[in-house]
């Protein structure tokens, strides 16, 4: 081996050792390039792609007890799976508390397709319950100031809850594609897991009550007036879907009371039939 090649070989070996040590210390492995959305491409007809929607925010109320001196706008939220196939992720360990994940899309004629979306799973603590492997950035809560024309004017606050299990908690939309029994259970609490699968079947929902950990937006000091509460599912596209533009639901509230402005909210609501039935 020539001196030049020997130097290159030593440098490569050193880089490899450094990478192995970094992974062992809990660092993230280099991320792979993301795949384009196959649910909107030429292959779409061969796939049973998912579609996630966020149900309308409900059970909205002001909480003054959780954090002393703070006013928290609590709310129930539900990520509904309404597509042709389940929304599913397969995670593999790449750090002490992290996993990289591939989306799993079922094929119409059998089999599955793995898609790189950049999705991540975290070892998430929940007070009083322990830790869970959860899908990161599964949702986002926003509070918007409205102008006199009831249009969104300014983003005022965001909520802390972003990570979800993805599970079959409640069958909310019965159809021929919706399994009668749960396929995806509660997310794993095994910290030693090297791989996990999360998902929500067609017609099922992952629901969290208003009292759940981080199910709020801090509205302390927000001026009196009408505001739009927006809940959005999968804001960073960790799961590719049939429709990426139907993931948000909203309701108008009056602050500081937290009262829902029912008249306008009902006027804005639309019937939501199953487009894939």
């Amino acid at each position: 081996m020539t001196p030049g090649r020997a130097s290159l070989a030593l440098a490569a070996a050193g880089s490899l050792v450094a990478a192995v040590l970094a992974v062992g210390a809990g660092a993230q492995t280099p991320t792979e390039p993301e795949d384009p959305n196959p649910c909107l491409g030429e292959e779409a007809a061969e796939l049973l792609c998912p579609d996630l929607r966020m149900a309308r925010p409900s059970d909205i109320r002001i909480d003054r007890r959780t954090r002393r001196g703070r006013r928290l706008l609590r709310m129930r939220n539900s990520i509904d799976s309404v597509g042709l196939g389940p929304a599913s992720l397969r995670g593999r360990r790449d750090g002490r508390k992290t996993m990289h994940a591939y989306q799993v899309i079922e094929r119409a004629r059998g089999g599955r397709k793995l898609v790189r979306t950049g999705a991540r799973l975290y070892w998430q603590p929940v007070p009083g319950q322990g830790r869970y492997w959860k899908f990161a950035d599964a949702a986002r809560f926003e509070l918007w100031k409205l102008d006199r024309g009831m249009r969104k004017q300014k983003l005022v606050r965001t909520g802390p809850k972003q990570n979800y299990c993805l599970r079959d908690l409640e069958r909310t939309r019965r159809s021929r594609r919706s399994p009668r029994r749960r396929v995806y259970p509660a997310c794993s609490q095994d910290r030693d897991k090297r791989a996990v699968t999360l998902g929500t079947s067609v017609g099922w929902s992952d629901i969290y009550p208003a009292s759940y950990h981080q199910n709020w937006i801090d509205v302390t000091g927000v001026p009196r007036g009408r505001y739009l509460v927006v809940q959005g599912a999968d804001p960073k596209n960790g799961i590719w879907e049939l429709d990426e533009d139907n993931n948000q639901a909203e309701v108008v509230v009056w602050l500081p009371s937290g009262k829902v402005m029912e008249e306008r909210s009902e006027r804005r609501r639309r019937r939501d039939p199953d487009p894939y039935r």
Side-chain angles (χ1 to χ4, degrees):
M1 180 180 295
T2 65
R5 289 185 178 180
S7 298
L8 290 174
L10 288 172
S15 298
L16 179 59
V17 170
V20 171
L21 291 175
V23 172
Q28 295 180 6
T29 56
T31 56
E32 299 182 59
E34 297 176 11
D35 294 324
N37 187 349
C39 303
L40 302 179
E42 297 179 356
E43 194 180 4
E46 304 173 7
L47 302 174
L48 300 178
C49 286
D51 189 15
L52 295 176
R53 298 185 185 179
M54 186 71 83
R56 179 173 179 259
S58 60
D59 193 16
I60 296 176
R61 59 181 186 268
I62 294 293
D63 169 15
R64 300 181 181 88
R65 296 182 178 181
T66 300
R67 293 194 170 186
R68 187 175 181 179
R70 311 299 297 180
R71 298 173 62 86
L72 308 181
L73 187 69
R74 286 198 169 273
M75 62 201 79
R76 178 183 186 269
N77 58 90
S78 173
I79 297 181
D80 303 337
S81 179
V82 300
L84 298 176
S88 181
L89 294 171
R90 183 177 299 170
R92 293 195 177 279
R93 195 72 164 262
D94 66 357
R96 290 181 59 250
K97 299 180 180 180
T98 60
M99 293 188 183
H100 69 272
Y102 289 88
Q103 181 177 353
V104 183
I105 302 178
E106 295 185 356
R107 297 184 182 274
R109 296 184 179 181
R112 295 176 175 85
K113 178 182 178 66
L114 294 183
V115 184
R116 297 168 296 186
T117 64
R120 306 284 300 167
L121 308 186
Y122 289 149
W123 184 234
Q124 172 81 23
V126 178
Q129 298 183 29
R131 291 178 178 265
Y132 299 85
W133 286 108
K134 293 195 175 190
F135 169 33
D137 298 307
R140 179 178 169 89
F141 299 169
E142 299 177 343
L143 184 72
W144 286 81
K145 176 65 177 175
L146 296 174
D147 63 17
R148 292 184 179 182
M150 303 299 283
R151 296 179 295 267
K152 287 196 293 187
Q153 183 180 44
K154 180 183 178 181
L155 178 62
V156 178
R157 301 282 173 88
T158 59
K161 183 169 176 58
Q162 298 175 327
N163 304 339
Y164 283 66
C165 278
L166 287 190
R167 55 183 173 166
D168 290 343
L169 182 66
E170 184 177 331
R171 193 181 183 209
T172 52
R173 299 185 184 220
R174 299 173 183 270
S175 73
R176 57 184 175 81
R177 296 188 314 278
S178 175
R180 296 183 179 181
R181 298 182 182 276
R182 291 182 175 88
V183 176
Y184 299 95
C187 49
S188 173
Q189 290 191 273
D190 185 350
R191 68 178 179 180
D192 296 323
K193 279 280 191 180
R194 306 305 303 174
V196 298
T197 296
L198 305 180
T200 304
S201 300
V202 178
W204 288 76
S205 299
D206 186 15
I207 303 171
Y208 292 85
S211 59
Y212 195 80
H213 177 58
Q214 295 186 330
N215 254 20
W216 44 259
I217 297 174
D218 190 334
V219 295
T220 308
V222 173
R224 179 185 301 270
R226 294 183 179 88
Y227 292 84
L228 189 69
V229 174
V230 180
Q231 293 181 355
D234 191 28
K236 294 188 177 180
N237 291 329
I239 294 176
W240 285 128
E241 305 174 47
L242 288 161
D243 187 345
E244 299 290 354
D245 297 323
N246 64 353
N247 290 18
Q248 291 189 345
E250 59 191 45
V251 67
V252 177
V253 299
W254 176 268
L255 293 178
S257 70
K259 180 181 179 181
V260 175
M261 310 299 290
E262 290 290 353
E263 181 178 352
R264 181 181 183 278
S265 298
E266 291 299 325
R267 189 164 66 245
R268 288 179 61 89
R269 291 183 67 185
R270 301 175 182 175
R271 295 190 62 188
D272 189 18
D274 183 350
Y276 314 113
R277 191 180 295 277

